[in-house]
Amino acid sequence: MRQNLGRSTRSIYLGLACLSLTLHLLLAFFCLSVLQTACVLPTSSSSSKPRTDTQGHQFVVRSSSSSAASSSHKLPTSPQIDEHHKLNSNMLHHRGRLSLNESTERKQKLILKVKGHSKLEALFKHPLYNLPYPEPQEDDWLLRVKTNEEVRDTSEEDEWEDDLNNDSKWQSASEEEGYDKITWTSDVDTHPPWLRFHLGITRWELYNRKDPILGHLTHYLATQRILGADFERHNAEISAFHLDRLLGFNRIPPVVGRLINITTEIREVTSDHRLSRTFFTSPVGNVCFYGQCEYYCSTEHPVCGQPHALEVSLAAMLPDLSLAPRRSWRSPWRRSYSRTKLAKWEKDPTYCDTVKQTPPYSHGTRLVDLIDMAILDFLMSNMDRHHYETFEKFGNETFLLHLDNGRGFGRHSQDEPSILAPLQQCCRIRRSTLLRLRLLTRPGFRLSDVMRESLAQDPLAGVAPLLSEPHLSALDRRLATILQVVQTCQDQHSDVMYNDLEGYD
């Protein structure tokens, strides 16, 4: 009996051991399958997680030839850049996948583009985006190339004349460390793209959207060596450029996104010793730096790779100040940045009456130019516009440069009505601006749709969307707010419209 009981006990123990082993094997297989699924690398833009906000600080980088601009309809890329984008997508394995709903939503909103219908192309073909400017006269160009006759009148007449007759190459005299020697001939078509961009700046706009050279400039920004870095929201700078272009302003220097190796393209090549000293490796193995600047440059606010890959934006340089001086103006609607002391415009609803009587706002287009800028800032929720710049050569008869847009596109859920104070208090708007704003509310040209399509042309779009869907929806909501403010002004005043389209009806 005892022997039978022992055998029965051993059988029970053996059965329990087998059951335990089976359960452990099942658990091991389950964990292995989960880990394999989690480690799948993204292979296309649809498998990258979209940015839900733009709070992270990145930096703007400028190349040795860092100049570019937009093309007439799209920002072209070369096959080499396309291949680079595929590699970039594989490098950012730290990003998760799009949810099924988000992926489906993106596909649905891009389906018209797949079928061959481009809202962006249709927008840029509209007459409001093809208004003729007066034929530029000599004083309407920011820079120009001297003619042969002017060159002969210089003190080095013989030397220059020989160069021109022999069509020999001119060489940059800059020997500064880190800069490539640049050569070009007397033929304007052989000038480097950044120079041709500078030579295309006029009294009315920073670049011509239809200029065929602009595709080459975009390629320059996406491929040239990096010489300097600063903190900015990289996707805010990129998005601001596209939004400015969609509004028909053409006043933001072209910006392109790029995925770089923070070690090989910055740390190992920089000649800035102050920057070099700020590099460190984070506890999780990411290469980081915090740079030298007035704000945020500390170990508490570093820029970090993943572990080396980093998304950045590259902005086109403007002509050197020695060639094209710029003047900085304090905005009449600048913020006090004080919790206890309000600015005059925040206390006095009739504040604009004083502004209208004060030069340079008392004549010309300066006031409506400032209101254009306020509309741009409201759409991207940029509250940091305390100064603006103009080219000195053109005096008061010129456009405003929409620079430094890294604080835009912060909270998509919150609108800041105080940014529209210039429009609300002055009740003045350019007619062409108003008509384009109304056009961008139509289903065939909806602002969120053309913005999504425009941003999709940027190199970084292959990694993840530059703006999340809530940010794109916010553009439509804020646009409706702007038009409501204009309507309120028109109900109360008879001189709201500044007619810059006289003769174009």
Side-chain angles (χ1 to χ4, degrees):
M1 181 176 179
R2 290 180 179 178
Q3 186 177 4
N4 292 337
L5 182 61
R7 290 177 180 175
S8 176
T9 302
R10 286 197 297 271
S11 298
I12 293 174
Y13 287 159
L14 182 61
L16 290 175
C18 291
L19 179 61
S20 176
L21 179 61
T22 302
L23 291 175
H24 277 81
L25 287 174
L26 289 175
L27 181 61
F29 282 124
F30 174 75
C31 293
L32 181 61
S33 64
V34 171
L35 289 175
Q36 287 177 336
T37 302
C39 292
V40 173
L41 297 181
T43 57
S44 66
S45 60
S46 63
S47 63
S48 301
K49 183 179 180 181
R51 305 171 183 85
T52 56
D53 57 53
T54 57
Q55 299 296 333
H57 292 288
Q58 300 291 358
F59 56 88
V60 177
V61 280
R62 294 174 173 84
S63 66
S64 57
S65 307
S66 55
S67 305
S70 137
S71 65
S72 60
H73 300 307
K74 59 181 66 178
L75 302 176
T77 58
S78 66
Q80 292 86 351
I81 295 180
D82 292 336
E83 183 64 25
H84 184 59
H85 297 168
K86 295 177 183 178
L87 295 175
N88 290 347
S89 181
N90 289 331
M91 289 175 65
L92 286 189
H93 59 273
H94 64 287
R95 294 190 178 277
R97 290 186 169 188
L98 279 174
S99 68
L100 179 61
N101 291 339
E102 290 171 323
S103 179
T104 302
E105 184 180 8
R106 289 188 61 206
K107 290 179 180 178
Q108 289 176 343
K109 293 188 175 182
L110 291 175
I111 192 169
L112 290 178
K113 177 63 178 175
V114 173
K115 290 183 177 180
H117 175 74
S118 167
K119 291 185 178 182
L120 184 64
E121 292 179 0
L123 180 72
F124 285 146
K125 289 179 181 178
H126 194 278
L128 284 172
Y129 288 82
N130 294 276
L131 297 172
Y133 282 110
E135 186 67 26
Q137 304 301 310
E138 183 175 343
D139 290 340
D140 294 328
W141 297 100
L142 181 64
L143 301 172
R144 63 187 183 89
V145 178
K146 290 185 177 181
T147 64
N148 291 357
E149 290 74 15
E150 291 173 316
V151 171
R152 292 190 186 98
D153 291 336
T154 64
S155 59
E156 299 178 348
E157 174 182 345
D158 295 338
E159 179 181 349
W160 281 103
E161 187 170 353
D162 289 341
D163 285 343
L164 289 170
N165 290 337
N166 296 329
D167 199 30
S168 62
K169 293 184 177 180
W170 306 348
Q171 190 173 76
S172 170
S174 175
E175 297 295 336
E176 185 174 345
E177 183 180 357
Y179 283 84
D180 295 329
K181 292 183 178 179
I182 298 174
T183 59
W184 59 88
T185 69
S186 57
D187 182 2
V188 175
D189 291 335
T190 67
H191 291 169
W194 62 266
L195 178 58
R196 295 178 68 180
F197 163 58
H198 289 172
L199 293 175
I201 300 174
T202 67
R203 179 185 299 275
W204 303 288
E205 57 185 359
L206 195 57
Y207 60 89
N208 186 332
R209 180 173 47 82
K210 299 179 180 180
D211 192 338
I213 193 61
L214 303 183
H216 296 287
L217 300 174
T218 303
H219 177 73
Y220 259 55
L221 281 183
T223 58
Q224 293 299 297
R225 288 191 306 133
I226 297 168
L227 296 182
D230 262 320
F231 279 109
E232 293 290 356
R233 278 186 196 146
H234 68 295
N235 46 335
E237 292 283 359
I238 298 168
S239 301
F241 161 63
H242 285 262
L243 179 60
D244 182 82
R245 187 173 72 127
L246 292 176
L247 295 175
F249 294 154
N250 301 341
R251 301 167 194 171
I252 291 181
V255 184
V256 173
R258 180 168 162 183
L259 192 68
I260 67 166
N261 186 305
I262 193 174
T263 300
T264 61
E265 296 187 71
I266 297 184
R267 185 174 189 174
E268 294 179 356
V269 300
T270 183
S271 58
D272 188 338
H273 299 296
R274 295 184 303 169
L275 176 63
S276 298
R277 288 194 294 267
T278 69
F279 277 87
F280 64 95
T281 301
S282 72
V284 295
N286 294 330
V287 180
C288 308
F289 74 95
Y290 53 88
Q292 297 285 337
C293 64
E294 187 174 355
Y295 303 105
Y296 302 114
C297 288
S298 65
T299 54
E300 289 78 20
H301 303 89
V303 173
C304 296
Q306 296 285 340
H308 301 279
L310 182 68
E311 296 180 27
V312 302
S313 64
L314 291 96
M317 283 184 176
L318 293 175
D320 190 272
L321 292 175
S322 62
L323 298 174
R326 301 193 299 271
R327 181 171 179 180
S328 179
W329 304 79
R330 297 181 67 184
S331 171
W333 281 271
R334 63 187 176 276
R335 299 180 182 277
S336 63
Y337 295 99
S338 171
R339 295 182 179 180
T340 58
K341 184 179 181 181
L342 297 177
K344 290 183 178 179
W345 62 270
E346 295 177 292
K347 298 181 294 185
D348 183 6
T350 64
Y351 173 75
C352 187
D353 293 339
T354 302
V355 176
K356 288 179 179 179
Q357 299 173 10
T358 306
Y361 306 99
S362 55
H363 65 281
T365 63
R366 181 61 63 89
L367 182 60
V368 289
D369 286 333
L370 193 67
I371 290 173
D372 280 348
M373 187 166 62
I375 290 172
L376 171 72
D377 286 337
F378 178 74
L379 286 172
M380 59 183 180
S381 195
N382 178 21
M383 301 174 61
D384 194 37
R385 191 76 68 184
H386 40 76
H387 288 81
Y388 64 88
E389 294 183 26
T390 60
F391 289 113
E392 279 191 2
K393 176 180 179 180
F394 302 133
N396 190 37
E397 303 300 323
T398 187
F399 63 93
L400 312 186
L401 288 163
H402 297 168
L403 306 177
D404 189 13
N405 305 287
R407 297 294 182 90
F409 297 100
R411 297 181 180 177
H412 58 75
S413 60
Q414 181 175 333
D415 300 341
E416 182 50 58
S418 64
I419 301 175
L420 279 181
L423 174 61
Q424 292 172 320
Q425 295 181 355
C426 298
C427 277
R428 196 84 166 134
I429 188 173
R430 211 183 232 105
R431 186 184 176 201
S432 61
T433 298
L434 178 58
L435 292 180
R436 283 194 290 265
L437 293 177
R438 289 175 176 170
L439 182 67
L440 291 169
T441 64
R442 297 182 181 179
F445 306 102
R446 186 175 287 111
L447 179 56
S448 59
D449 292 339
V450 293
M451 185 68 168
R452 183 186 301 105
E453 185 179 340
S454 185
L455 289 174
Q457 298 167 3
D458 187 86
L460 277 182
V463 177
L466 286 157
L467 287 182
S468 66
E469 287 300 319
H471 273 109
L472 293 171
S473 299
L475 291 175
D476 295 330
R477 181 183 70 243
R478 292 164 184 165
L479 177 55
T481 300
I482 294 170
L483 293 176
Q484 182 58 55
V485 171
V486 174
Q487 184 60 55
T488 301
C489 285
Q490 290 179 319
D491 293 341
Q492 299 173 353
H493 304 276
S494 59
D495 59 345
V496 174
M497 203 82 67
Y498 177 85
N499 191 4
D500 60 331
L501 297 180
E502 191 172 353
Y504 297 133
D505 293 341

